[in-house]
């Protein structure tokens, strides 16, 4: 994507942004190799580029948290993002220095996004940065899910066009469903980084070591993951039910994302979490996603 692909002679650009800035955020999303970019194609340009800006912001702060720089440098970089976001909500006397900040500013103003949600995302990355999360208590795990997933959802539903309390409720439950699914899918990869996001009370109940690597071979890991999978499924169910009280068209991107992740959760449950299969990535098809998308409309 180039600036020339966005700019035309007779039409304004989405969000009123410089075409080069819009191209920057879109390329950031595409280079991440995520299916997110394809899913956002259903949105009209204003909303699509707003979502690209949100994803690019999340990508940048996540790369900081997961980077190899010394702890002090990563902490400083995330603190700087706190300051950058604060400037976007402050007096607009000075131009923003970077493409991402310029598109974020336009997105914030156009969709009335809340500063607290950006702050929560950065704080979630800070949780991963300060020390590897290993066997958190339930409250810490829930706070982490809220910051790294539900906060992104609260930003997203506003861009989709749903600013109601029900929109926030969808973000609350769908964010937790998505993040728990990520945790259940990525246990071996997280262990390689010294992380274990499974809650300590469940590990203790099923006699699973709190050591991230040793937990991979524990017979009780299956029981821990089954309980978390049930929680994720409950969050999916409540999110889809709540969507019915929202604008159906606005919720379509959230419904598509939820159905795609529910297909992953179902595949994980079918595969299981025994040591023999734990490193096998769950496979889903377009038919699987279409199935759970259709079922998401049912009571």
């Amino acid at each position: 994507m180039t600036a020339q692909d966005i700019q035309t002679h007779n039409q304004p650009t989405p969000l009123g942004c410089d075409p080069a800035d819009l191209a920057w955020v879109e390329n950031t999303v595409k280079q991440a190799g995520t299916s997110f970019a394809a899913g956002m194609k259903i949105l009209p340009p204003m909303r699509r580029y707003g979502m690209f800006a949100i994803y690019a912001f999340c990508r940048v702060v996540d790369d900081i948290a997961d980077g190899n720089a010394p702890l002090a440098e990563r902490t400083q970089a995330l603190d700087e993002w706190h300051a950058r976001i604060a400037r976007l909500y402050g007096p607009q006397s000075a131009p923003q220095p970077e493409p991402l900040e310029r598109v974020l500013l336009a997105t914030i103003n156009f969709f009335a996004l809340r500063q607290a949600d950006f702050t929560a995302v950065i704080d979630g990355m800070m949780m991963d940065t300060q020390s590897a999360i290993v066997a958190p208590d339930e409250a810490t795990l829930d706070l982490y899910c809220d910051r790294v997933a539900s906060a992104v959802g609260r930003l997203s539903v506003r861009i989709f066009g749903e600013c109601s309390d029900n929109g926030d409720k969808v973000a609350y439950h769908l964010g937790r469903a998505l993040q728990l699914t990520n945790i259940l899918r990525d246990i071996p990869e997280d262990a390689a980084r010294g992380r274990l996001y499974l809650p300590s009370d469940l590990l203790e109940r099923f006699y699973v070591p709190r050591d991230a690597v040793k937990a991979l071979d524990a017979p009780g890991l299956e029981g821990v993951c089954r309980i978390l999978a049930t929680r994720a499924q409950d969050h999916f169910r409540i999110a889809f039910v709540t969507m019915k009280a929202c604008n159906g068209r606005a919720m379509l991107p959230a419904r598509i994302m939820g159905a795609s992740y529910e297909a992953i959760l179902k595949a994980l449950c079918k595969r299981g979490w025994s040591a023999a299969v734990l490193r096998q990535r769950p496979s889903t098809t377009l038919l699987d996603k279409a199935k759970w998308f259709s079922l998401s409309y049912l009571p």
Side-chain angles (χ1 to χ4, degrees):
M1 176 60 63
T2 67
Q4 287 73 23
D5 294 325
I6 299 169
Q7 180 68 70
T8 63
H9 292 294
N10 299 316
Q11 296 179 351
T13 60
L15 298 171
C17 292
D18 187 298
D21 291 346
L22 295 175
W24 189 95
V25 296
E26 182 170 2
N27 286 333
T28 298
V29 174
K30 289 183 175 180
Q31 289 171 9
T34 175
S35 59
F36 179 93
M40 291 304 102
K41 287 183 178 179
I42 68 170
L43 293 172
M46 297 285 274
R47 301 188 191 281
R48 184 167 69 248
Y49 280 99
M51 284 306 303
F52 285 164
I54 297 303
Y55 185 91
F57 160 74
C58 293
R59 181 76 270 157
V60 167
V61 294
D62 185 64
D63 285 346
I64 293 171
D66 285 342
N68 296 319
L71 172 61
E73 292 183 15
R74 285 180 286 148
T75 300
Q76 180 180 356
L78 290 174
D79 283 337
E80 288 175 356
W81 264 107
H82 272 305
R84 291 184 184 188
I85 294 298
R87 284 196 296 270
L88 296 180
Y89 285 87
Q92 306 302 317
S93 56
Q96 301 302 319
E98 300 293 337
L100 176 54
E101 290 163 279
R102 291 192 288 269
V103 183
L104 278 176
L105 177 60
T107 303
I108 288 167
N109 290 337
F110 194 87
F111 295 106
L113 304 183
R114 297 175 297 199
Q115 182 177 355
D117 294 326
F118 286 102
T119 298
V121 174
I122 299 169
D123 288 341
M125 301 305 165
M126 195 73 80
M127 291 175 72
D128 266 329
T129 300
Q130 295 305 306
S131 62
I133 297 179
V134 177
D137 58 38
E138 293 282 2
T140 301
L141 175 60
D142 189 66
L143 177 62
Y144 178 76
C145 290
D146 188 80
R147 287 175 169 177
V148 302
S150 294
V152 179
R154 291 191 290 271
L155 293 168
S156 300
V157 294
R158 281 164 173 72
I159 295 177
F160 296 157
E162 183 61 64
C163 301
S164 67
D165 289 342
N166 280 322
D168 281 345
K169 185 177 179 181
V170 169
Y172 177 97
H173 289 287
L174 188 58
R176 282 160 171 79
L178 300 185
Q179 191 59 33
L180 289 175
T181 300
N182 280 335
I183 288 171
L184 291 167
R185 181 193 61 195
D186 297 339
I187 293 172
E189 291 83 354
D190 290 333
R193 297 177 176 178
R195 297 172 180 172
L196 181 65
Y197 293 100
L198 307 178
S200 57
D201 66 323
L202 290 182
L203 296 176
E204 182 177 353
R205 187 191 310 179
F206 287 90
Y207 304 101
V208 176
R210 297 189 182 192
D211 180 280
V213 176
K214 292 179 180 178
L216 300 179
D217 296 317
L221 183 63
E222 183 82 32
V224 173
C225 293
R226 292 286 174 187
I227 290 177
L228 278 189
T230 299
R231 292 184 192 176
Q233 190 61 66
D234 287 342
H235 284 302
F236 277 123
R237 176 180 54 81
I238 297 172
F240 288 136
V241 168
T242 307
M243 287 179 194
K244 296 176 182 179
C246 300
N247 180 296
R249 185 173 181 178
M251 284 292 99
L252 185 58
R255 193 178 288 277
I256 292 172
M257 181 67 73
S260 296
Y261 266 76
E262 190 171 21
I264 294 172
L265 180 65
K266 295 297 185 181
L268 284 168
C269 290
K270 182 178 180 180
R271 183 208 68 183
W273 287 270
S274 69
V277 300
L278 189 59
R279 291 174 176 81
Q280 296 176 11
R281 299 291 285 184
S283 60
T284 59
T285 66
L286 287 176
L287 185 60
D288 294 327
K289 296 174 182 178
K291 171 186 175 181
W292 294 110
F293 177 79
S294 299
L295 291 175
S296 74
Y297 283 97
L298 298 180

